[in-house]
């Protein structure tokens, strides 16, 4: 039995039912997306903060840290925590003492020192997060909500892993300064957790390759007796590797361009203001394979060629959107990435009316893909949605019926771009780890089909156009060419959806 009952396959042979299947071939290959494993919600901690000019324990602060960490990982394969949401709450009076007189709003950057401990060894990961402009009220408390994606961690041995927060610093900058200005921060606040706070954030379990457990169960993660971070370099690796000029071109695609469009992602419910921050992003690439069901002709076909797949170009974390939890509404966090997929013309043979062999080529025009991940779950902070959205048009040409050319003209295409929205549900991971996405496509009517006065638009519209065309995509983990040894380079191939038996 296949996991996707509308899809049927026998080995590598797939019955391609119609031009509609061909039309879905390339443009529906979306890239990343995201939804990590569930976490119990934000960790609440108490901290004491100060500046170089004051006692570090002079200011009391409240911390709310939320991060999704996979339940399990494998030795020598990157484990990707995140995305991360980090809220720091200070009183307006304490902020007034740190900032110049008359400051009405600030932007901030948080640098968190996170201890990663396993089998008595530990290393330190640096999590760099950003908060958009935050207005400063006349009194009361001020919460600075930071977010972002954080580095991979690779483990050289099996065992339980503990992530815990240590010291952190927050730079407060003028909200009116241009992003390119390099003026020093208005204030730099250093914070340490108060006595009695252990800083535990998350736990994951690392197995040997293939999920094999070690012969003896490792002990509870612990910090070395001297308290030093580091341990054996080969056991826990969190620092990015330097790029080698002689390295292969792991991602032979251009970085994506275009504007982020998060309109199809779940939007924040009415309530407190939402803040957006634009970021430079991180270039990555990945492979994805899928199957598309054709509703009208009860058939399906493979999306992308498993033998020579086209790569998805991804710029991860281009924009963050945040809203703090309040009486007006719950916590909202969204991270948008942008991706592109450019495929050559595809060719396939299909059957119309169940017996007539037809061969055709299709050209695809895909708009930029927006990959949105985040949470609209009030107060929990867990990642609970992943959405991929883009617009697509298609053009048909070089059509042959039983070997005889059918002149459809040079501009036989969908009458307008159509919307492609894919949902990751509980299975799709973040942009770095990938996963399965699915959705439905409504193909519009065709126009410009035919030549010599012959109108073939009704034929293609009747046999192809319409709603209910299911799409199933599986994106593999991404390759980060700047850090190939810390990511999945060369980009691996994922399993084709519907080929793995149900358990």
């Amino acid at each position: 039995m296949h996991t996707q009952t509308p899809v049927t396959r026998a080995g590598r042979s797939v019955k391609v039912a119609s031009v509609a299947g061909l039309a879905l071939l390339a443009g529906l290959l979306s890239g990343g997306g995201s939804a990590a494993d569930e976490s119990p919600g934000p960790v609440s901690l108490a901290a004491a903060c100060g500046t170089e000019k004051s006692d570090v324990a002079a200011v009391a602060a409240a911390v709310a840290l939320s991060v999704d960490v996979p339940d399990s990982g494998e030795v020598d394969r990157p484990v990707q925590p995140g995305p991360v949401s980090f809220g720091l709450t200070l009183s307006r009076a304490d902020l007034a003492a740190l900032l110049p007189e008359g400051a009405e709003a600030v932007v901030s950057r948080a640098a968190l020192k996170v201890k990663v401990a396993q089998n008595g060894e530990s290393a330190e990961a640096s999590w760099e997060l950003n908060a958009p402009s935050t207005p400063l009220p006349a009194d009361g408390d001020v919460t600075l909500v930071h977010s972002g994606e954080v580095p991979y961690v690779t483990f050289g041995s099996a065992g339980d892993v503990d992530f815990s927060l240590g010291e952190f610093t927050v730079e407060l900058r003028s909200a009116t300064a241009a992003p390119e200005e390099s003026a020093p921060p208005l204030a730099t606040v250093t914070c340490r957790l108060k006595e009695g706070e252990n800083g535990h954030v998350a736990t994951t379990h690392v197995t040997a390759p293939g999920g094999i457990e070690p012969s003896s169960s490792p002990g509870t993660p612990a910090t070395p007796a001297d308290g030093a971070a580091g341990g054996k370099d080969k056991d826990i690796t969190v620092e990015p590797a330097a790029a080698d000029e002689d390295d292969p071109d792991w991602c032979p695609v251009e970085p994506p361009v275009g504007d982020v469009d998060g309109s199809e992602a779940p939007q924040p419910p009415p309530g407190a203001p939402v803040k957006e921050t634009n970021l430079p992003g991180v270039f990555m690439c990945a492979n994805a394979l899928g199957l598309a069901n054709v509703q009208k002709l009860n058939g399906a076909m493979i999306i992308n060629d498993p033998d020579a797949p086209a790569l998805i170009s991804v710029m991860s974390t281009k924009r963050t959107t945040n809203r703090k939890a309040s009486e007006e509404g719950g916590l909202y966090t969204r991270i948008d990435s942008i991706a592109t997929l450019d495929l050559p013309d595809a060719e396939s043979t299909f059957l119309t009316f169940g017996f007539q062999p037809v061969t055709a080529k299709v050209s695809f025009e895909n708009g930029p893909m927006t990959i949105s991940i985040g949470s609209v779950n009030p107060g929990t902070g867990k990642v609970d949605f992943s959405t991929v959205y883009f617009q697509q048009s298609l053009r048909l040409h070089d059509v042959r019926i039983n070997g005889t050319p059918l002149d459809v003209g040079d501009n036989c295409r969908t009458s307008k771009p159509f919307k492609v929205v894919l949902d990751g549900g509980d299975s799709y991971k973040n942009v770095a780890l990938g996963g399965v996405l699915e959705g439905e496509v409504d193909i519009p009517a065709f126009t410009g089909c035919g030549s010599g006065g012959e109108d073939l638009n009704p034929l293609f519209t009747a046999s192809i156009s319409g709603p209910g065309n299911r799409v199933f995509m599986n994106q593999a983990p991404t390759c980060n060419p700047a850090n190939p040894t810390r990511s999945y380079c060369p980009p691996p191939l994922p399993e084709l959806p519907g080929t793995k038996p149900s358990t």
Side-chain angles (χ1 to χ4, degrees):
M1 180 181 295
H2 299 106
T3 55
Q4 304 295 348
T5 55
V7 175
T8 57
R9 294 184 76 242
R12 291 291 306 279
S13 174
V14 177
K15 177 183 177 182
V16 181
S18 74
V19 178
L22 184 64
L24 292 171
L25 172 61
L28 298 182
L29 183 62
S30 75
S34 39
D37 298 312
E38 292 187 3
S39 73
V43 176
S44 298
L45 301 167
C49 305
T51 65
E52 293 181 354
K53 299 179 181 180
S54 66
D55 182 357
V56 74
V59 175
V63 171
L65 179 59
S66 176
V67 55
D68 286 290
V69 174
D71 288 336
S72 62
E74 287 188 7
V75 168
D76 295 330
R77 301 300 288 179
V79 172
Q80 173 66 73
V84 177
S85 177
F86 173 75
L88 178 67
T89 301
L90 302 166
S91 73
R92 180 64 179 92
D94 287 336
L95 269 177
L98 300 172
L99 298 172
E101 186 176 355
E104 298 181 351
V106 294
V107 296
S108 58
R109 172 178 295 178
L112 281 59
K113 295 180 180 180
V114 177
K115 183 186 297 181
V116 185
Q118 182 199 45
N119 300 336
E121 305 291 343
S122 68
E124 185 178 277
S126 179
W127 291 2
E128 302 285 342
L129 308 170
N130 292 279
S133 176
T134 302
L136 302 178
D139 52 26
D141 291 337
V142 179
T143 300
L144 307 174
V145 181
H146 307 76
S147 62
E149 296 195 6
V150 298
Y152 302 98
V153 185
T154 305
F155 301 92
S157 59
D160 289 338
V161 178
D162 176 81
F163 293 81
S164 59
L165 175 64
E167 181 179 291
F168 60 92
T169 60
V170 177
E171 291 183 351
L172 304 174
R173 295 181 177 273
S174 170
T176 59
E180 62 272 12
E181 291 183 4
S182 57
L186 302 176
T188 299
V189 181
T190 300
C191 303
R192 300 187 182 97
L193 299 183
K194 288 190 173 181
E195 186 176 354
E197 299 277 19
N198 64 15
H200 173 75
V201 175
T203 302
T204 191
H205 181 66
V206 175
T207 65
I212 301 172
E213 294 289 346
S215 57
S216 60
S217 178
T220 303
T223 303
D226 61 3
K232 299 178 181 178
D233 291 341
K234 68 177 182 179
D235 284 347
I236 305 176
T237 305
V238 294
E239 294 298 329
D244 188 336
E245 293 182 357
D246 296 327
D247 279 346
D249 187 3
W250 298 117
C251 292
V253 287
E254 292 296 320
V257 295
D259 297 325
V260 169
D261 183 353
S263 60
E264 293 297 325
Q267 300 298 303
V274 174
K275 304 183 182 76
E276 292 185 351
T277 302
N278 292 315
L279 301 168
V282 178
F283 175 54
M284 302 176 177
C285 66
N287 281 310
L289 299 176
L291 291 169
N293 288 321
V294 183
Q295 175 71 13
K296 283 187 174 180
L297 294 171
N298 194 30
M301 75 172 303
I302 293 175
I303 302 175
N304 213 6
D305 181 0
D307 294 326
L311 285 171
I312 304 157
S313 173
V314 181
M315 194 66 75
S316 173
T317 316
K318 285 289 292 180
R319 185 174 69 190
T320 61
T321 305
N322 295 283
R323 189 184 73 187
K324 67 179 183 179
S326 66
E327 294 181 358
E328 293 85 4
L331 173 71
Y332 178 85
T333 300
R334 191 178 83 233
I335 297 177
D336 296 322
S337 303
I338 194 165
T340 56
L341 177 66
D342 296 320
L343 290 180
D345 292 353
E347 181 175 2
S348 185
T349 299
F350 51 92
L351 299 176
T352 57
F353 310 110
F355 66 90
Q356 183 69 59
V358 177
T359 300
K361 291 183 179 180
V362 62
S363 299
F364 303 93
E365 299 171 1
N366 298 336
M369 302 172 181
T370 297
I371 306 162
S372 300
I373 62 174
S375 173
V376 291
N377 196 330
T380 69
K382 77 179 185 68
V383 172
D384 56 17
F385 68 79
S386 54
T387 305
V388 175
Y389 163 65
F390 61 99
Q391 293 276 339
Q392 178 189 73
S393 297
L394 57 91
R395 182 176 70 87
L396 302 174
H397 56 102
D398 293 342
V399 178
R400 292 177 178 267
I401 300 178
N402 203 19
T404 302
L406 174 65
D407 190 355
V408 300
D410 297 328
N411 197 34
C412 180
R413 61 172 58 244
T414 49
S415 58
K416 60 182 179 181
F418 55 92
K419 181 187 299 185
V420 181
V421 181
L422 303 178
D423 178 22
D426 295 329
S427 60
Y428 192 85
K429 306 303 179 184
N430 55 37
V431 174
L433 293 181
V436 176
L437 298 129
E438 59 181 273
E440 278 191 8
V441 174
D442 188 345
I443 300 176
F446 279 77
T447 186
C449 302
S451 64
E454 184 178 17
D455 184 6
L456 298 178
N457 294 329
L459 174 62
F460 286 107
T461 298
S463 61
I464 300 172
S465 304
N469 303 290
R470 297 291 295 170
V471 182
F472 305 93
M473 293 301 309
N474 188 12
Q475 181 224 315
T478 56
C479 166
N480 180 349
N483 301 306
T485 62
R486 302 294 181 262
S487 58
Y488 291 78
C489 297
L493 276 177
E495 290 183 350
L496 190 65
T499 61
K500 189 173 182 179
S502 298
T503 56

